[in-house]
Amino acid sequence: MGAPRTLAAKLLRAVVRLAPAESRDWAAAMLRELDFIEGDWAALFWALGSAAAILRHTASVWRAWLKRKSEKETGMNNTGKRVLGVGLGMLSALALVGCALATLRILGIMFPGLEHSSWAYWLAVMAIPEAIFVAATVMLWRKKGPIAAGILAMGLVMALHVAVHFTLHW
Amino acid sequence: MKLRLSPQTLLVLDAFLEQAEEWKYGYDLSRVTGLKSGTLYPILMRLAERQLLETQWEAGEPGRPPRHMYRFTPDGLRFARANAAGSADTGLGEVALSLLPQGLAEA
């Protein structure tokens, strides 16, 4: 079994493990199909597409749950809603950083040596996510203020982390 | 609940209409329609959530994990037949046919 197929199987097994109950059967179905795909790279692309599909399905399940919850709890105070929004924004930002790290890992397999290159690391894990955070904050600030604040907070935490890193190591 | 009939959804409906009573596998559907897993599965999920598609785990050989299979419910079959005309008008039926393996397309 080649490295891309091994990575594909690992990725889909992780997706099956982490997926909520509503999506788990689908994730298991996608994992099972992996055995019938010819070609290691085709298997990896299948797994990436499947993971994206499960992520979207999970997001829609959560959205529906949140909508139901907010309809039920119309009495929920504004502070609670704001805290929920900030948390959601921070979670989204963390998910983006996770995706950036995963992408870097996959690129590292496709182009050996890239993963150990410091500029690739900083570009993938810092520069691009930070640019996305700033853009998302600006776009969401008026309509979804708490979510924008959550994203901004996570961006600031990451920037602080970099500043501390440079202060200690340079 | 309304289902958005994108060109990709119509391709999937067309693929299911071929021998509609038979169970189909995800990867086979992907090959027939030319859709990637990231596009195909959300469509299958939506069809299943709207009770247009039934799903089942295949009881395979002992020691081998089961495989997920899909086929139309009676409602799904009616829905697909009602929308197949729209698909043919836009030429999507031909697109789906052109994506089939040579032997199958000629058959």
Side-chain angles (χ1 to χ4, degrees), chain A residues 6 8 31 60 74 90 94 100 102:
Chain A
T6 308
L31 172 64
S60 73
T74 42
M90 292 177 87
L94 264 179

PDB file of all heavy atoms in Angstrom, chain A residues 6 8 31 60 74 90 94 100 102:
ATOM      1  N   THR A   6      -2.265   5.027   2.234  1.00  0.00           N
ATOM      2  CA  THR A   6      -2.213   4.899   3.706  1.00  0.00           C
ATOM      3  C   THR A   6      -2.755   6.161   4.355  1.00  0.00           C
ATOM      4  O   THR A   6      -3.548   6.100   5.310  1.00  0.00           O
ATOM      5  CB  THR A   6      -0.754   4.671   4.151  1.00  0.00           C
ATOM      6  OG1 THR A   6      -0.235   3.587   3.401  1.00  0.00           O
ATOM      7  CG2 THR A   6      -0.662   4.352   5.621  1.00  0.00           C
ATOM      8  N   ALA A   8      -4.797   8.289   3.008  1.00  0.00           N
ATOM      9  CA  ALA A   8      -6.247   8.368   2.737  1.00  0.00           C
ATOM     10  C   ALA A   8      -7.015   7.538   3.762  1.00  0.00           C
ATOM     11  O   ALA A   8      -8.017   8.008   4.319  1.00  0.00           O
ATOM     12  CB  ALA A   8      -6.530   7.871   1.323  1.00  0.00           C
ATOM     13  N   LEU A  31     -15.276   5.366   3.642  1.00  0.00           N
ATOM     14  CA  LEU A  31     -14.059   4.616   3.990  1.00  0.00           C
ATOM     15  C   LEU A  31     -14.083   3.241   3.328  1.00  0.00           C
ATOM     16  O   LEU A  31     -13.076   2.782   2.793  1.00  0.00           O
ATOM     17  CB  LEU A  31     -13.963   4.486   5.515  1.00  0.00           C
ATOM     18  CG  LEU A  31     -12.870   3.567   6.051  1.00  0.00           C
ATOM     19  CD1 LEU A  31     -11.484   4.104   5.695  1.00  0.00           C
ATOM     20  CD2 LEU A  31     -12.970   3.424   7.571  1.00  0.00           C
ATOM     21  N   SER A  60     -23.792  21.486   8.593  1.00  0.00           N
ATOM     22  CA  SER A  60     -25.229  21.717   8.380  1.00  0.00           C
ATOM     23  C   SER A  60     -26.041  21.132   9.543  1.00  0.00           C
ATOM     24  O   SER A  60     -27.053  21.700   9.941  1.00  0.00           O
ATOM     25  CB  SER A  60     -25.682  21.153   7.034  1.00  0.00           C
ATOM     26  OG  SER A  60     -25.731  19.748   7.097  1.00  0.00           O
ATOM     27  N   THR A  74     -35.884  31.355  22.807  1.00  0.00           N
ATOM     28  CA  THR A  74     -35.984  32.739  22.361  1.00  0.00           C
ATOM     29  C   THR A  74     -35.689  33.698  23.509  1.00  0.00           C
ATOM     30  O   THR A  74     -35.331  34.843  23.291  1.00  0.00           O
ATOM     31  CB  THR A  74     -37.384  33.036  21.793  1.00  0.00           C
ATOM     32  OG1 THR A  74     -38.344  32.423  22.649  1.00  0.00           O
ATOM     33  CG2 THR A  74     -37.548  32.503  20.394  1.00  0.00           C
ATOM     34  N   MET A  90     -14.112  31.469  17.145  1.00  0.00           N
ATOM     35  CA  MET A  90     -12.810  30.906  17.544  1.00  0.00           C
ATOM     36  C   MET A  90     -12.669  29.478  17.022  1.00  0.00           C
ATOM     37  O   MET A  90     -11.601  29.093  16.533  1.00  0.00           O
ATOM     38  CB  MET A  90     -12.663  30.939  19.068  1.00  0.00           C
ATOM     39  CG  MET A  90     -12.540  32.359  19.598  1.00  0.00           C
ATOM     40  SD  MET A  90     -12.441  32.443  21.379  1.00  0.00           S
ATOM     41  CE  MET A  90     -10.696  32.237  21.617  1.00  0.00           C
ATOM     42  N   LEU A  94      -9.853  28.058  14.492  1.00  0.00           N
ATOM     43  CA  LEU A  94      -9.027  26.892  14.838  1.00  0.00           C
ATOM     44  C   LEU A  94      -9.116  25.820  13.748  1.00  0.00           C
ATOM     45  O   LEU A  94      -8.117  25.200  13.380  1.00  0.00           O
ATOM     46  CB  LEU A  94      -9.507  26.297  16.166  1.00  0.00           C
ATOM     47  CG  LEU A  94      -8.775  26.740  17.419  1.00  0.00           C
ATOM     48  CD1 LEU A  94      -9.381  26.086  18.638  1.00  0.00           C
ATOM     49  CD2 LEU A  94      -7.287  26.406  17.343  1.00  0.00           C
ATOM     50  N   ALA A 100      -4.978  24.127   7.485  1.00  0.00           N
ATOM     51  CA  ALA A 100      -3.699  24.603   6.952  1.00  0.00           C
ATOM     52  C   ALA A 100      -2.584  23.617   7.294  1.00  0.00           C
ATOM     53  O   ALA A 100      -1.751  23.280   6.443  1.00  0.00           O
ATOM     54  CB  ALA A 100      -3.383  25.990   7.501  1.00  0.00           C
ATOM     55  N   ALA A 102      -2.948  20.402   7.975  1.00  0.00           N
ATOM     56  CA  ALA A 102      -3.175  19.162   7.224  1.00  0.00           C
ATOM     57  C   ALA A 102      -2.718  19.321   5.785  1.00  0.00           C
ATOM     58  O   ALA A 102      -2.083  18.426   5.202  1.00  0.00           O
ATOM     59  CB  ALA A 102      -4.648  18.777   7.287  1.00  0.00           C
TER      60      ALA A 102
END
